[in-house]
Amino acid sequence: MMSGDSTAVTQSAPAPAPQDFVESILQLRPRVAVFDCDGTLWSGDAGAEFFYWEIEHGLISPEVAAWALPRYRDYKAGKVDEETMCGEMVTIHRGINVENIRHAAAEFFHEHVAKRIFPELQELTRRLAEKGCHLWAVSSTNEWVITEGVRRFGIPAEHVIAACVQMDGDRASARLLRVPTGQGKAKAIREVIGRPISVAFGNSVHDAAMLEVARHAFAINPNPDLEIMAAERDWTIYKPIA
């Protein structure tokens, strides 16, 4: 949670220039930084977009797609909860060669998401890394898309905490290992990182538990529910434009 440090930009101040935003965080001298990804490091929902892309490109079989598409519509209608849906968007890859999934994720991200990266967040991670800050990505999107995306921010694959399944040899299984969303993000941070979090960045209410465990919390282009929460808790709000 934000401590009210005067060196950070507060949500009540006029919107800072991108460079001022970056500098305000560097002045905090963070040692460990965690980032949500979709909507925080880049605009849009890469997880949902990849879901449709891989069905269109035949990575997901027509039989699985026939079940998954109406299931996702139920989720959008509020009939399926966030954690369940995010888990199922990983387990639909059961039996698919993981290298094929990784290759598809790289092609998809390059073609559709890379152009929507927030430049100041990319600069921030680069400069934090130069100063010895440990960078982590925490996301409920599948680990293949997230790992591909965050390498552009200098976040190594071993520092990705995302929705993932166990492997059956070189193929994905339907056995979930983790779906970091809501309280699950804070739990994953405790279990995997196990260190105090200096700064955390997120864009939705599903990131709130993660933001709460950080010394300084930043709501990036927050959804309306998170924006209300950020204002109530004196978290910094910043709105980049892709």
Side-chain angles (χ1 to χ4, degrees), residues 60-205:
I60 301 299
S61 72
E63 294 78 16
V64 173
W67 172 84
L69 286 168
R71 180 68 166 172
Y72 192 74
R73 287 195 292 271
D74 284 345
Y75 160 72
K76 296 294 286 184
K79 299 177 182 178
V80 180
D81 67 85
E82 177 84 4
E83 183 175 359
T84 297
M85 191 69 247
C86 290
E88 290 175 351
M89 290 175 77
V90 185
T91 58
I92 60 173
H93 298 88
R94 178 182 180 180
I96 302 176
N97 184 284
V98 174
E99 284 306 312
N100 291 344
I101 305 173
R102 289 173 179 157
H103 178 77
E107 180 181 351
F108 159 77
F109 198 95
H110 172 73
E111 291 180 356
H112 297 281
V113 186
K115 60 190 175 186
R116 304 200 310 260
I117 284 173
F118 297 132
E120 57 265 55
L121 270 298
Q122 197 170 36
E123 179 186 354
L124 173 63
T125 55
R126 176 184 63 81
R127 295 187 62 187
L128 286 173
E130 290 174 350
K131 293 181 177 297
C133 181
H134 297 273
L135 308 177
W136 290 80
V138 184
S139 174
S140 59
T141 291
N142 72 75
E143 66 175 350
W144 305 297
V145 167
I146 295 303
T147 299
E148 172 62 28
V150 301
R151 69 180 182 83
R152 294 163 171 79
F153 295 81
I155 301 176
E158 59 270 24
H159 280 198
V160 169
I161 306 174
C164 58
V165 295
Q166 293 179 337
M167 297 296 108
D168 284 334
D170 61 357
R171 296 180 182 274
S173 79
R175 301 187 302 277
L176 279 170
L177 287 174
R178 181 179 292 113
V179 183
T181 187
Q183 289 294 332
K185 288 199 171 189
K187 182 175 183 289
I189 287 170
R190 290 192 297 270
E191 293 177 348
V192 180
I193 302 177
R195 298 176 56 185
I197 305 304
S198 308
V199 291
F201 304 78
N203 79 302
S204 83
V205 70

Side-chain angles (χ1 to χ4, degrees), residues 10 24 28 51 108 114 138 160 175 203 210 212 217 229 241:
T10 64
S24 74
L28 299 173
F51 169 70
F108 159 77
V138 184
V160 169
R175 301 187 302 277
N203 79 302
M210 178 180 77
E212 286 178 331
M229 184 180 295
I241 300 176

